[in-house]
Amino acid sequence: MSKTNPPFMSGVPELLLLRLLQQQEMYGYELVRSIKDATGEAISLGEGVIYPVLHGLERSGSLKSKRKKVAGRTRVYYSLTAVGRKRLQQLAGDWRRIQGGVAAALNEEAYA
Amino acid sequence: MPRLDTASLNRRLYEAGIATRHIKRTITELEDHFEDLVAEQTGAGLVIRDAEQAALQRLGTTDDLVAAMRLQPELRCWGFRYPRIARVLYPLAIVAMLPALPVVAAVEHAPQIARWGFCLLVGGAVTATMMLALRFTILFG
């Protein structure tokens, strides 16, 4: 599958990560798998780029992390904070507004 | 055998001004992710070499990773985020630290300094004994 066009992806990984972490805490690989499952593999990224986004969200207070030892390996698990929940609401609202606008524009073109 | 080039990634991220703690953690997480991907691929029937190659492709290139880190300015170290302030404060901090450096160095290298001090003391004592012996030999010999 080809990689998703990066300019169209602005803010999308952030929104997806916050949405998935709203349900339960997860680590990087688990999050990537969940994104693929949740989006029906419509969104395909270089999987490593998830970590800068996670670190950025943690720095802004939207996420918190903790290390867990699992089968002899230390994994960093991320979970949502109260700030993250507010950020998720805001991003989801923005996304629905944009999605509605684009859908309306596409429908208009279809009837033109 | 294809492996994650952590040395190159570490250098590139350091040059991009990313804070050391984020570099270390990112590399640890990427290595863990790589192992998970290899396990997934071998579980799907690939031989280890192909599994590692596929895992590397899925992780993305070093360029992609560095570019993604650059997009998060808050991950940069203090000196890169506020370069003007850093240019003023860093030299002042170095000047302020100069008097403390010998003390810090002494504390840091206390065992070596103690060893050298002891050797000098023993050397001095031996030399003094020989000089004294020579002196007695001259006087009473």
Side-chain angles (χ1 to χ4, degrees):
Chain A
M1 182 190 290
S2 63
K3 296 263 163 62
T4 311
N5 192 351
F8 278 113
M9 290 295 290
S10 180
V12 174
E14 190 181 352
L15 173 61
L16 291 172
L17 291 173
L18 291 173
R19 176 71 186 91
L20 290 167
L21 289 170
Q22 188 185 29
Q23 296 160 330
Q24 63 181 84
E25 62 173 21
M26 283 189 249
Y27 63 96
Y29 172 75
E30 203 177 7
L31 276 163
V32 171
R33 285 191 66 121
S34 299
I35 288 174
K36 283 186 177 172
D37 291 343
T39 62
E41 301 207 19
I43 293 173
S44 171
L45 299 164
E47 296 187 15
V49 303
I50 197 175
Y51 295 104
V53 182
L54 286 168
H55 291 203
L57 285 168
E58 189 184 11
R59 283 280 299 179
S60 67
S62 296
L63 300 181
K64 59 183 177 185
S65 68
K66 65 178 171 190
R67 289 172 186 263
K68 275 189 188 175
K69 202 132 188 154
V70 181
R73 283 156 69 182
T74 305
R75 282 186 172 144
V76 182
Y77 279 78
Y78 294 89
S79 56
L80 206 62
T81 62
V83 175
R85 277 180 230 288
K86 280 185 189 167
R87 179 87 182 123
L88 173 60
Q89 283 177 353
Q90 183 206 334
L91 282 172
D94 289 348
W95 179 256
R96 287 193 188 100
R97 190 167 45 78
I98 292 166
Q99 188 192 22
V102 172
L106 289 174
N107 284 338
E108 199 173 286
E109 198 169 286
Y111 290 110
Chain B
M1 190 177 282
R3 299 293 300 179
L4 193 62
D5 187 1
T6 52
S8 165
L9 182 62
N10 186 66
R11 183 178 49 79
R12 296 272 309 273
L13 291 176
Y14 185 76
E15 285 168 358
I18 306 301
T20 313
R21 65 179 183 283
H22 287 296
I23 296 177
K24 282 182 181 172
R25 204 169 103 188
T26 301
I27 287 175
T28 305
E29 288 179 305
L30 286 171
E31 284 174 334
D32 187 51
H33 198 125
F34 179 78
E35 295 301 327
D36 282 328
L37 286 173
V38 171
E40 182 190 314
Q41 299 294 325
T42 50
L46 288 185
V47 294
I48 187 77
R49 190 181 174 81
D50 292 344
E52 286 177 338
Q53 193 63 51
L56 279 180
Q57 278 179 357
R58 277 178 57 178
L59 269 184
T61 64
T62 303
D63 286 343
D64 290 341
L65 296 171
V66 173
M69 284 300 247
R70 280 179 187 272
L71 284 174
Q72 307 286 336
E74 65 272 23
L75 301 184
R76 291 185 177 187
C77 62
W78 188 87
F80 272 78
R81 275 188 286 162
Y82 310 104
R84 287 181 182 174
I85 299 172
R87 272 199 291 273
V88 174
L89 286 185
Y90 278 173
L92 288 177
I94 288 168
V95 169
M97 275 169 57
L98 278 177
L101 282 178
V103 178
V104 172
V107 170
E108 184 89 2
H109 302 288
Q112 289 95 325
I113 289 170
R115 209 161 37 237
W116 273 95
F118 179 73
C119 289
L120 282 173
L121 202 68
V122 170
V126 168
T127 308
T129 310
M130 285 170 67
M131 297 286 279
L132 204 62
L134 192 63
R135 179 94 177 142
F136 274 112
T137 310
I138 291 166
L139 282 176
F140 306 109

